[in-house]
Amino acid sequence: MTHSPLPDGLTRDAILSAIKAQGGRLGKREIAKALSIRGDDRIALKRLLKDMEDEGSLTRTAGRDYALPNELPSVTVVQVIDRDVDGELLCQPLKGEGEYPTIRLAPGEGAGGKNERAVGIGDKLLVRLSPEDDGQYEARIIKKLGGSAHKILCVMRKNENGSGRLIPVDRRTKYELIPVKGESAKANDGDLVMCRLSSEKRYGLKTAIIEEVIGDANSPRAGSIIALAEHGVPTGFGAAELEYVKNIAPVGMEGREDLRDIPLITIDPADARDHDDAVWAGPDEDPTNKDGWVVLVAIADVAAYVIGDSPLDQGARARGVSVYLPDRVVPMLPERLSNDLCSLREMEERPCLAVRMVFDRNGNKKSHRFIRGWMRSAAKLAYEEAQAAIDGQGTGKAETLKKDVLEPLWAAYRVLKDARDRRDPLNIDAPERKVRVNEAGEVTGIERRERLEAHMLIEEMMIQANVAAAEALEEKKSPLIYRVHDEPGSEKIDSLADFLPTVNLKWTKAERPTTQRFNKVLDMARGSDHWETVNEVVLRSQSQAVYDVRNIGHFGLNLTKYAHFTSPIRRYADLTVHRGLIRAYKLGPNGQSDSEQVQLERIAEDTTANERRAMAAERDAVDRFIANWLSGRVGGEFEGRITGVTRFGAFVRLHETGADGLCPVSQLGNEYFRHDERAHALVGEGSGNTYRLGMSVKVRLLEATPLTGGLLFEILTPPEAGKKPPHRSHRRDSARREDRSSRSRLRRRKK
């Protein structure tokens, strides 16, 4: 189709200049006004804007404005969001929308020092940005934001005269505090206390006010208390929530489809206290779908109890997710819901929101239908019980259910697995470890979670239900919160491509990343000494999944439409999807309100942030429990593997426990080791000998600090032999980024 010529003054350069003059983003109406485009000429403007968006010279913001891609102001506010493969801090604009190049803190920035806390993930900074030759940005800190209002979790340490010092528990914080006069009397020696800075002295130690005394820092459960307080995870429920829950009456069957004759069962971890999903499968009786299967996934009807904008709903939205720590769960919803009214208990009738899915003999979904139902769980099984029955070693109720319930479930799963294998989602093997604690909160062991076929069965059926939810809401043109996972960024792919040749594997940088390409790399590494390392590096190369109202698909699962539907007890995003389905398909009361629909974007952002907060707290609590367990083995020797290298040392993961710790450069011997970013290695300046990512090492535990979760190692294994570098190449052995930083400074001086 041939388009008419563009009107005078309407060019690509004119549009770009207009947007740039207005700070980098502008709506279509404002662009037309700036370029004096009127009447029918607006059609040509709309066409040109679409062409520029398709070719990548413009992007669209969440507010549907047009923006210049990859443009950032020289001074901006950023948040530290991640570490790269080598442990360096990465940032993103705090108010930014769309895709931006990598922002990396310059070498030495934010490292902390005397009387200064080191920068870490989650910190907000005012920075000055300098563009680099490779399209990235280097950031230098102008100011750390929010410090004056920052609350710090500390341990009170008292002297004989009764005066005290406050020792921060955050491993990034490198200064002590002095209690304001009279504050020391609030706490005993060894107590955990929450403090607020009372002064910002330029020199000397800062003073602080004790706002809350939490408890004994040496108690077995201190690891969880510290992690929750440090990350600001809300615990407990407000008075309005508790009063609301107390007055909730159980809902009845009226208006619901009766599913009680279907033997739905729950399959969960053996120690699970809540059961929010149940499954059933059987042959499709439709003669046109020979050898096809019907799968029913029933989810607790949380929307029936958590009414939009009620005190209970407001509290659940603020928490966003449940938090799972070694010794406790911090639930999103009060126990009367999570463990009673919304828990699909064995042989008890419960309201549910279910999806009935029909699959053909090849595992392709033919149809789905959502049901506001009334069910009765036929059995509560642990993964291990269900698996044992299928493997011919069943006992008790699992064996009783084997023929009529479990075998059809497994037969349907194998059909779904065939379709999954054709889809070829990312197949990373990331072993999980569970910290076992007794009733007193003391660690009794650390074990690797076994991944059974029963786990994969439930996972795949939940995935199919989530896909159906996204498709169903799209069919009704209803707004929703997707679970999205972007493909890896170019810098992470470049880093992966640099690493793989060190283990005799290859990635061509020009290749577009696909799950099939990643899986090929993983398959080639399988069975080799580098298997765990390659898995780790491929995992680190991935983007993080988020909640978003804009659908970009789920890269890791290789799905185009995906939403979280299957766990509204512990994820607020799922609850919004339930309400959306109830409204869109007229499934009864308590559907999504107009108010919630217009807030979905904000809810997605908040829930993503709350999820990150929970993950950080869970990780830090595990670190502290493990450090506590290992504190009695200081001086012992362990086998491990180098999982990261930075300018300041090597991170080592122990095989026995999965614990991570640092071996500082100072513990690598008399030789000075430089960080070679491209090789992912620490290289001896004189000898060329190397400690590289993935190298198996024996270490000695020098220090275990339960308060911070920190482990300090000395590597006992000699470095791998290397080639002695000529004197003139020493600078090339240093990090590529440090060289790039030096070139940037030189360019700025020339200007």
Side-chain angles (χ1 to χ4, degrees):
M1 179 178 177
T2 303
H3 295 295
S4 57
L6 295 173
D8 291 341
L10 180 56
T11 66
R12 283 171 166 77
D13 288 343
I15 290 174
L16 294 175
S17 296
I19 294 173
K20 193 166 187 177
Q22 296 298 318
R25 63 187 60 192
L26 208 59
K28 183 171 66 176
R29 182 177 300 175
E30 289 75 19
I31 294 172
K33 185 176 180 180
L35 300 181
S36 300
I37 302 297
R38 299 180 178 86
D40 292 341
D41 289 346
R42 291 175 180 267
I43 298 173
L45 172 62
K46 181 179 180 181
R47 186 178 73 241
L48 183 54
L49 289 171
K50 178 66 168 59
D51 290 344
M52 293 176 71
E53 186 180 357
D54 290 343
E55 70 195 22
S57 56
L58 288 179
T59 62
R60 301 294 292 274
T61 71
R64 308 308 292 161
D65 288 344
Y66 290 91
L68 305 179
N70 304 333
E71 287 285 331
L72 288 172
S74 59
V75 175
T76 191
V77 177
V78 301
Q79 184 168 27
V80 182
I81 59 163
D82 202 358
R83 292 184 185 271
D84 65 11
V85 172
D86 294 323
E88 302 296 344
L89 291 171
L90 306 176
C91 310
Q92 73 176 17
L94 194 61
K95 298 294 184 183
E97 298 174 356
E99 294 298 318
Y100 288 108
T102 296
I103 303 173
R104 191 192 303 273
L105 284 187
E109 291 288 292
K114 188 175 182 181
N115 297 333
E116 185 181 8
R117 186 176 70 89
V119 169
I121 293 173
D123 286 347
K124 299 177 181 66
L125 312 167
L126 180 66
V127 299
R128 187 175 301 280
L129 298 177
S130 301
E132 299 293 325
D133 292 338
D134 55 6
Q136 302 177 19
Y137 285 91
E138 179 182 82
R140 293 193 173 274
I141 298 172
I142 298 172
K143 183 181 180 182
K144 298 176 184 178
L145 301 178
S148 60
H150 183 58
K151 291 186 178 182
I152 304 172
L153 188 65
C154 299
V155 176
M156 168 65 79
R157 293 300 183 199
K158 287 196 171 182
N159 302 319
E160 292 182 1
N161 61 8
S163 64
R165 291 285 181 97
L166 297 167
I167 315 299
V169 301
D170 187 341
R171 71 192 78 179
R172 300 171 298 169
T173 303
K174 300 182 179 180
Y175 58 80
E176 297 178 2
L177 303 172
I178 298 176
V180 169
K181 186 176 181 180
E183 290 291 296
S184 293
K186 291 182 177 179
N188 297 319
D189 183 59
D191 278 350
L192 278 170
V193 294
M194 187 65 75
C195 304
R196 174 173 52 84
L197 292 178
S198 66
S199 68
E200 291 283 357
K201 294 181 179 179
R202 185 169 182 179
Y203 303 106
L205 295 179
K206 299 174 183 179
T207 59
I209 295 170
I210 296 175
E211 293 199 332
E212 181 184 1
V213 178
I214 296 172
D216 184 1
N218 295 316
S219 67
R221 298 186 183 276
S224 288
I225 296 172
I226 294 170
L228 294 170
E230 193 173 82
H231 292 282
V233 175
T235 58
F237 300 94
E241 289 179 89
L242 296 176
E243 183 66 23
Y244 187 91
V245 170
K246 188 171 66 174
N247 295 321
I248 287 179
V251 301
M253 182 182 170
E254 184 180 354
R256 296 175 179 272
E257 188 170 325
D258 192 347
L259 304 175
R260 288 175 295 178
D261 290 339
I262 299 175
L264 287 148
I265 63 170
T266 62
I267 305 178
D268 290 296
D271 57 357
R273 296 178 62 193
D274 55 72
H275 311 277
D276 57 349
D277 57 80
V279 293
W280 170 87
D284 188 6
E285 297 177 357
D286 185 345
T288 66
N289 189 30
K290 183 174 168 47
D291 298 327
W293 290 90
V294 176
V295 173
L296 193 66
V297 174
I299 308 298
D301 191 354
V302 178
Y305 293 108
V306 183
I307 310 304
D309 215 29
S310 66
L312 197 57
D313 178 63
Q314 292 170 7
R317 178 173 168 178
R319 285 180 286 274
V321 294
S322 296
V323 185
Y324 295 85
L325 308 177
D327 65 332
R328 72 190 69 195
V329 175
V330 181
M332 186 180 80
L333 295 170
E335 189 169 341
R336 184 164 184 240
L337 293 179
S338 60
N339 292 343
D340 183 6
L341 296 177
C342 296
S343 185
L344 306 180
R345 292 177 172 178
E346 186 176 69
M347 302 309 295
E348 294 187 21
E349 296 183 7
R350 290 288 185 269
C352 65
L353 187 60
V355 56
R356 182 184 188 272
M357 298 174 286
V358 179
F359 297 90
D360 66 20
R361 64 193 300 173
N362 297 313
N364 303 306
K365 182 158 66 70
K366 293 172 63 69
S367 66
H368 59 247
R369 179 172 70 91
F370 281 87
I371 302 164
R372 203 88 182 266
W374 189 255
M375 62 162 286
R376 180 173 52 227
S377 171
K380 176 187 76 172
L381 296 181
Y383 287 111
E384 293 78 7
E385 291 178 295
Q387 189 67 56
I390 288 297
D391 293 342
Q393 301 168 2
T395 58
K397 59 186 174 184
E399 184 63 21
T400 302
L401 294 166
K402 178 180 177 180
K403 180 174 176 53
D404 294 332
V405 178
L406 293 180
E407 288 183 350
L409 270 173
W410 252 261
Y413 163 65
R414 285 170 184 141
V415 165
L416 296 181
K417 183 178 181 301
D418 288 342
R420 178 187 176 94
D421 290 343
R422 292 194 302 274
R423 192 175 81 236
D424 206 8
L426 197 58
N427 190 25
I428 295 174
D429 183 11
E432 294 183 54
R433 286 177 170 80
K434 182 176 178 64
V435 178
R436 292 283 182 190
V437 298
N438 59 22
E439 291 185 2
E442 299 164 332
V443 178
T444 58
I446 300 166
E447 60 191 41
R448 179 168 174 162
R449 294 181 190 265
E450 188 177 6
R451 186 161 165 78
L452 304 171
E453 194 175 40
H455 291 98
M456 293 182 275
L457 179 150
I458 294 298
E459 178 184 272
E460 188 58 29
M461 290 185 176
M462 297 304 113
I463 287 172
Q464 292 300 328
N466 289 337
V467 170
E471 292 176 345
L473 287 170
E474 281 198 0
E475 287 166 10
K476 290 291 187 178
K477 295 182 170 50
S478 174
L480 72 146
I481 294 177
Y482 296 90
R483 181 64 166 179
V484 300
H485 182 219
D486 204 355
E487 67 179 39
S490 58
E491 193 210 355
K492 288 192 173 184
I493 292 298
D494 288 347
S495 183
L496 176 69
D498 288 340
F499 165 74
L500 288 177
T502 68
V503 293
N504 300 315
L505 295 172
K506 184 181 179 182
W507 183 292
T508 303
K509 291 185 180 181
E511 288 183 83
R512 182 182 174 184
T514 64
T515 56
Q516 293 84 357
R517 182 68 184 92
F518 282 115
N519 288 340
K520 183 178 178 181
V521 169
L522 294 167
D523 288 341
M524 292 172 68
R526 199 179 307 275
S528 73
D529 294 339
H530 308 298
W531 165 242
E532 287 189 19
T533 303
V534 172
N535 264 272
E536 181 100 9
V537 173
V538 169
L539 178 61
R540 291 181 187 177
S541 72
Q542 304 304 308
S543 303
Q544 287 186 285
V546 299
Y547 294 106
D548 204 323
V549 294
R550 292 165 292 277
N551 182 27
I552 60 170
H554 197 293
F555 176 81
L557 293 173
N558 203 9
L559 291 167
T560 58
K561 299 174 184 178
Y562 193 66
H564 272 168
F565 159 78
T566 54
S567 220
I569 281 181
R570 61 184 180 90
R571 296 186 304 223
Y572 192 81
D574 301 50
L575 181 54
T576 69
V577 170
H578 276 232
R579 289 172 176 158
L581 289 164
I582 292 167
R583 172 175 174 161
Y585 287 87
K586 298 178 173 57
L587 297 176
N590 306 324
Q592 195 165 68
S593 65
D594 291 343
S595 173
E596 182 173 282
Q597 278 199 348
V598 300
Q599 294 182 70
L600 287 179
E601 182 174 357
R602 179 63 183 272
I603 292 171
E605 293 173 353
D606 290 346
T607 307
T608 296
N610 291 336
E611 180 186 54
R612 299 275 172 85
R613 176 181 67 187
M615 291 168 62
E618 290 165 359
R619 183 174 59 247
D620 284 359
V622 167
D623 287 348
R624 287 182 167 96
F625 273 87
I626 293 178
N628 196 335
W629 197 52
L630 290 175
S631 60
R633 301 173 67 182
V634 171
E637 297 180 2
F638 302 85
E639 298 293 334
R641 181 172 53 84
I642 295 177
T643 57
V645 288
T646 68
R647 298 188 307 276
F648 47 84
F651 290 97
V652 177
R653 178 169 300 155
L654 304 184
H655 295 324
E656 178 184 337
T657 61
D660 293 296
L662 174 68
C663 175
V665 171
S666 60
Q667 296 293 335
L668 294 179
N670 296 324
E671 185 176 15
Y672 182 73
F673 281 80
R674 290 184 177 272
H675 177 216
D676 185 333
E677 184 183 15
R678 184 177 292 274
H680 299 274
L682 291 167
V683 182
E685 188 175 60
S687 66
N689 292 342
T690 300
Y691 287 104
R692 59 169 176 79
L693 185 67
M695 180 177 169
S696 294
V697 292
K698 177 179 281 190
V699 298
R700 178 180 292 119
L701 179 59
L702 301 179
E703 186 179 309
T705 312
L707 199 60
T708 64
L711 301 176
L712 200 64
F713 297 132
E714 174 190 5
I715 293 180
L716 304 178
T717 304
E720 295 177 345
K723 184 178 180 182
K724 183 176 180 180
H727 179 72
R728 60 184 173 82
S729 69
H730 286 179
R731 280 189 58 79
R732 290 199 305 272
D733 289 337
S734 62
R736 177 180 57 182
R737 185 167 55 262
E738 294 183 36
D739 290 343
R740 190 172 66 229
S741 176
S742 299
R743 292 197 303 272
S744 297
R745 289 193 293 270
L746 180 60
R747 288 198 305 272
R748 289 195 290 271
R749 284 199 297 270
K750 287 180 178 179
K751 292 178 181 177

